[in-house]
Amino acid sequence: MIRLATLACALTLAVAALPALAQPQKFDKPEDAVKFRQATLKELQKNFKRVADMASGRDDFDAKGADESATRVAELIKQPWPAFGPGTEGGKARPEVWTEQAKFQDLAGKAQGEMLKLAAAARTGSLDAIKAAMGPAGASCKACHDSFRAR
């Protein structure tokens, strides 16, 4: 009973904190936006790679570690998009980010959806479920990079 009450309390606190995490970032200078999105996407890539390495057999499977990393990916994938606002051109982003906003936002939305699916798969603790979610998740990243990331 105590364990259930502790879990309920932790869940309540986590849900209460979500609105603060969802607040859009404010940037004083365009270069601050570039730095923020690059740092966020770099951390996302690090966590995604950790799960991908387990799914591919390059690293030993650790259900808890996969869950933690996939959950972090699902959190991070929501954060960089406000940092691609008008006047924030530069970094590794192609100019098409700002001239093809509808396509960019569509691909960003698809990536968010696939990362949520990956996190849900990782929560199951099933390596097979994670493997099944990795392909579409990776493809969603690639689609955006192919169109909008400078080489």
Side-chain angles (χ1 to χ4, degrees), residues 16-31:
L18 286 177
L21 292 174
Q23 296 300 316
Q25 292 286 329
K26 304 273 191 259
F27 304 101
D28 293 331
K29 298 182 254 178
E31 54 268 19

Side-chain angles (χ1 to χ4, degrees), residues 89-101 147-150:
E89 292 84 352
K92 295 181 180 180
R94 291 185 188 167
E96 289 84 358
V97 168
W98 294 272
T99 61
E100 298 177 26
Q101 270 292 297
S147 296
F148 297 108
R149 185 175 188 212

Side-chain angles (χ1 to χ4, degrees), residues 33-51:
V34 173
K35 287 177 186 176
F36 172 80
R37 68 185 185 229
Q38 287 179 337
T40 302
L41 291 167
K42 185 175 182 176
E43 184 181 348
L44 187 152
Q45 188 275 336
K46 179 181 80 172
N47 281 278
F48 186 83
K49 182 181 182 316
R50 191 173 299 136
V51 180

